[in-house]
Amino acid sequence: MSYQKILVGIDGSKQSEMAFSKAIDIAKQNDAALYLLSVINGERYPTTSPSGFGFVDKSIYDSAIQEMNKRLAKNKQKAEEAGVKEVHTDVEIGNAKVELAEKYPKDNQIDLIVIGATGLNAIGRLIVGSTAAYTVRIAPCDVTVVKTDLENKKLDIKESSYPEI
């Protein structure tokens, strides 16, 4: 069994960067294509308003999209320099859980998702849920949840008390 299309969720956190680093190794070992996806939390699906985005103009996402495209371009270059032959980048607007676990994998025939473990504490996970946990439950393919660094030592990340009040 080898993976051909590997998806990594990139959000700028230490967890997602470590997932990205490990996904590079997995992609090289399998001679697989690497897909880097960033999801900007927002309304993805058209509504009945003339703009198609409810009461919000889609252009409010432009600066966030540009910023994530820059980050993904740097990650793409890093992956290619490490020896990954095929790297795709995408920025989507929507619900990160749905985009990462369901829509994008189905649309792109992904066979492995590599995702960072959550940094939320128990209360934060209860209120907003864990993207990683959702992805493990719902994804149509294998999921690797990264909890350690490249030396397999636990990541030194302080749990946040998200959401902040």
Side-chain angles (χ1 to χ4, degrees):
M1 169 76 195
S2 70
Y3 298 107
Q4 298 304 304
K5 294 184 175 186
I6 300 169
L7 171 63
V8 185
I10 305 288
D11 65 6
S13 68
K14 285 184 180 180
Q15 296 96 318
S16 75
E17 290 303 315
M18 193 52 55
F20 167 65
S21 294
K22 288 196 173 187
I24 288 173
D25 288 343
I26 297 168
K28 288 182 352 187
Q29 291 169 5
N30 289 273
D31 195 27
L34 187 58
Y35 291 74
L36 310 178
L37 175 65
S38 179
V39 181
I40 297 168
N41 194 26
E43 187 174 339
R44 182 189 195 297
Y45 299 102
T47 63
T48 58
S49 77
S51 69
F53 281 84
F55 299 107
V56 178
D57 183 357
K58 183 181 181 287
S59 67
I60 68 164
Y61 301 116
D62 289 348
S63 64
I65 290 169
Q66 289 173 4
E67 187 62 34
M68 289 314 298
N69 275 325
K70 287 179 191 175
R71 180 182 301 272
L72 293 178
K74 289 178 184 176
N75 285 0
K76 178 178 181 176
Q77 181 179 1
K78 183 178 177 182
E80 289 172 342
E81 288 172 355
V84 179
K85 295 174 186 163
E86 185 179 345
V87 183
H88 304 269
T89 63
D90 285 298
V91 177
E92 298 286 345
I93 298 170
N95 180 304
K97 293 176 183 181
V98 173
E99 295 295 325
L100 188 65
E102 299 178 60
K103 184 181 179 329
Y104 197 89
K106 288 177 185 173
D107 289 350
N108 293 280
Q109 296 80 44
I110 300 297
D111 51 16
L112 175 66
I113 300 171
V114 181
I115 188 170
T118 182
L120 300 178
N121 64 24
I123 293 171
R125 283 190 300 271
L126 181 64
I127 294 170
V128 300
S130 163
T131 300
Y134 183 87
T135 302
V136 167
R137 279 194 322 273
I138 302 299
C141 60
D142 289 347
V143 178
T144 296
V145 179
V146 175
K147 298 173 95 176
T148 61
D149 64 17
L150 292 173
E151 284 80 38
N152 289 326
K153 294 182 180 152
K154 185 176 180 191
L155 291 175
D156 183 23
I157 298 171
K158 294 180 182 177
E159 288 191 342
S160 68
S161 57
Y162 181 84
E164 293 181 13
I165 297 174

